[in-house]
Amino acid sequence: MKKKDIKILLVDDEPDILEIVGYNLSQEGYQIVTAENGKDAIAKAKKEHPQLIIMDVMMPEMDGMEATEAIRKMPELKDVIITFLTARSEDYSQVAGFDAGADDYITKPIKPKLLVSKVKALLRRLKDDDGKSSETLNVGGIEINREEYKIIKENTEIVLPRKEFELFYLLASKPGKVFKRDEILDKVWGNEVIVGGRTIDVHIRKLREKIGDDFFKTIKGVGYKFEV
């Protein structure tokens, strides 16, 4: 996907942040849409269908956590990448952010060049998706449609955020294979994306809750595997 076709929604209650971040990303060729609070973000996301949302956490009317949870419930926005923008002084939990449905987080203040690099890394998977062929897996009585990001278990559709789906698809693609943590980070998040050490653990916990605890095995000190 070309830069001119990529739309980024910036959500922050500070006009200076919207101006600075928006300017630097627009200079890269991206389309920029802005919102000043969580409620506005939901409305803009519905209307604009962005590929990436950069979401402030602490905002009036509705904070970033609530807005993200609401957006993740919308089928038409299931593929959007969401990263939180947080101040170093805020009492912010990475685990809480991932639980809300965020793919990553950016800590402010951040230098413009670093911000642009971070955004490029987050968007890199959009290019990767262009070359992927349609493929459906059937493992353990579960149907996984890679093209449609759809999971059917016992005739019931299970909706997963994008990162959870990609992690599940990776593990389920080779049942019994132990995927090392570094390999998971590289294939699901990309080796240019900096994420916290507990990122994988949080996503595995969510998958166990939604798919079933018995499918996911922890290999201490190594990684995870999918068993049927």
Side-chain angles (χ1 to χ4, degrees):
M1 183 176 289
K2 297 179 180 180
K3 286 185 178 180
K4 65 181 181 65
D5 298 321
I6 294 175
K7 192 174 294 184
I8 300 175
L9 172 59
L10 304 179
V11 188
D12 202 297
D13 61 329
E14 297 182 39
D16 289 348
I17 296 292
L18 293 179
E19 182 178 354
I20 294 170
V21 174
Y23 172 79
N24 282 281
L25 293 178
S26 63
Q27 287 295 102
E28 288 293 314
Y30 301 117
Q31 298 181 50
I32 304 301
V33 180
T34 62
E36 297 181 355
N37 58 63
K39 289 184 178 179
D40 192 21
I42 294 171
K44 291 287 180 68
K46 282 182 179 179
K47 179 181 178 181
E48 302 291 345
H49 288 244
Q51 281 73 41
L52 171 65
I53 300 176
I54 301 177
M55 180 88 71
D56 187 25
V57 175
M58 302 301 292
M59 294 182 292
E61 293 193 47
M62 178 183 288
D63 65 31
M65 297 279 192
E66 294 177 280
T68 296
E69 289 177 342
I71 290 170
R72 284 301 185 210
K73 294 177 182 177
M74 302 176 189
E76 68 271 27
L77 295 171
K78 65 183 177 64
D79 292 337
V80 67
I81 304 166
I82 302 177
T83 182
F84 283 140
L85 190 62
T86 68
R88 296 181 189 279
S89 60
E90 290 175 355
D91 182 14
Y92 168 74
S93 165
Q94 290 181 38
V95 175
F98 290 128
D99 281 347
D103 295 294
D104 204 351
Y105 72 98
I106 298 172
T107 303
K108 58 182 179 182
I110 185 170
K111 294 181 179 179
K113 286 185 178 180
L114 181 57
L115 171 67
V116 170
S117 295
K118 187 77 168 178
V119 167
K120 286 180 178 178
L122 287 166
L123 291 170
R124 192 176 59 171
R125 84 183 75 152
L126 295 176
K127 293 188 295 181
D128 293 341
D129 284 349
D130 290 341
K132 287 178 181 175
S133 60
S134 173
E135 185 173 355
T136 299
L137 295 178
N138 286 280
V139 290
I142 304 172
E143 180 180 313
I144 311 166
N145 188 309
R146 180 67 179 82
E147 185 176 36
E148 298 181 10
Y149 278 75
K150 183 184 294 185
I151 295 172
I152 304 294
K153 180 185 178 185
E154 297 175 351
N155 296 320
T156 300
E157 182 174 350
I158 300 173
V159 179
L160 298 178
R162 183 166 183 148
K163 282 302 182 186
E164 289 179 25
F165 181 95
E166 291 180 352
L167 174 56
F168 179 47
Y169 186 88
L170 174 66
L171 297 178
S173 66
K174 295 183 179 180
K177 170 182 166 59
V178 177
F179 286 87
K180 295 181 180 179
R181 297 177 69 87
D182 288 346
E183 182 180 4
I184 294 173
L185 286 172
D186 181 55
K187 291 185 176 180
V188 177
W189 279 269
N191 55 18
E192 292 180 11
V193 180
I194 302 171
V195 295
R198 294 195 61 194
T199 301
I200 300 174
D201 303 326
V202 170
H203 283 70
I204 289 290
R205 177 168 61 80
K206 300 298 288 185
L207 287 176
R208 282 173 168 155
E209 292 173 357
K210 298 172 183 178
I211 306 297
D213 185 64
D214 293 338
F215 288 109
F216 304 94
K217 303 299 181 183
T218 302
I219 311 301
K220 291 186 178 180
V222 180
Y224 293 93
K225 67 176 178 177
F226 181 86
E227 286 190 342
V228 296

